């Protein structure tokens, strides 16, 4: 399985953006797809995760109420809808497969850059 992240870009504060993560192979129902992000000079942090089978999700406190994670099983794709973007959301966003919210993910995709300007 490979993960392909896409959809990053340059937006203004307050705007919305949706990033996508598409898997090339089967995602096991017991697993999860997670989004992490890494801002310049900072450690990678968990953003949101969704259990592939049940569709339940969890969020970091910093994005709760602004970001929504969802999955499309038919398309083997997980989306992260980001609303009300802030300057501090600027980061490279990575998707990963493994246990939900765990730092030790089984598989990482390449990142997609999200830049929020004032």
């Amino acid at each position: 399985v490979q993960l392909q992240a896409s959809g990053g870009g340059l937006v203004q504060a307050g705007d919305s953006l949706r990033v996508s993560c598409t898997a090339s192979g089967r995602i096991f129902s017991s697993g999860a797809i997670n989004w992490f992000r890494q801002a310049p000079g900072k450690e990678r942090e968990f953003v949101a995760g969704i259990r592939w089978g049940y569709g339940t999700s969890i969020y970091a406190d910093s994005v709760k109420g602004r970001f929504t994670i969802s999955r499309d099983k038919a398309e083997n794709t997980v989306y992260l809808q980001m609303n009300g973007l802030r300057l501090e959301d600027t980061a490279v966003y990575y998707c990963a497969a493994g246990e939900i919210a765990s730092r030790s993910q089984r598989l990482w995709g390449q990142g997609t850059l999200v830049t929020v300007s004032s």
Side-chain angles (χ1 to χ4, degrees), residues 44-68:
R44 190 175 297 185
E45 64 174 356
F46 171 77
V47 175
I50 187 166
R51 294 178 179 87
W52 189 254
Y54 292 108
T56 53
S57 56
I58 60 174
Y59 298 89
D61 287 343
S62 59
V63 306
K64 209 171 287 184
R66 299 188 298 124
F67 291 10
T68 303

Side-chain angles (χ1 to χ4, degrees), residues 3-5 20-21 33-36 93-97 107-110:
L3 302 176
Q4 178 75 37
S20 304
C21 176
I33 299 294
N34 300 275
W35 284 98
F36 291 78
Y93 285 71
Y94 298 89
C95 59
L107 178 69
W108 290 89
Q110 95 293 356

Side-chain angles (χ1 to χ4, degrees), residues 1-115:
V1 177
Q2 289 186 330
L3 302 176
Q4 178 75 37
S6 62
L10 173 63
V11 297
Q12 290 189 322
D15 284 352
S16 298
L17 190 68
R18 189 179 76 168
V19 292
S20 304
C21 176
T22 300
S24 62
R26 179 186 174 191
I27 302 173
F28 291 100
S29 60
S30 60
I33 299 294
N34 300 275
W35 284 98
F36 291 78
R37 67 185 181 187
Q38 187 166 20
K42 294 189 177 181
E43 291 188 354
R44 190 175 297 185
E45 64 174 356
F46 171 77
V47 175
I50 187 166
R51 294 178 179 87
W52 189 254
Y54 292 108
T56 53
S57 56
I58 60 174
Y59 298 89
D61 287 343
S62 59
V63 306
K64 209 171 287 184
R66 299 188 298 124
F67 291 10
T68 303
I69 190 170
S70 61
R71 72 184 181 347
D72 183 331
K73 283 189 169 182
E75 296 294 325
N76 242 21
T77 298
V78 170
Y79 301 101
L80 184 67
Q81 176 68 42
M82 303 181 287
N83 298 330
L85 283 162
R86 304 169 180 170
L87 298 180
E88 56 264 35
D89 294 318
T90 294
V92 177
Y93 285 71
Y94 298 89
C95 59
E99 290 188 22
I100 197 164
S102 170
R103 285 185 175 272
S104 298
Q105 295 292 306
R106 178 169 44 83
L107 178 69
W108 290 89
Q110 95 293 356
T112 186
L113 177 62
V114 174
T115 304

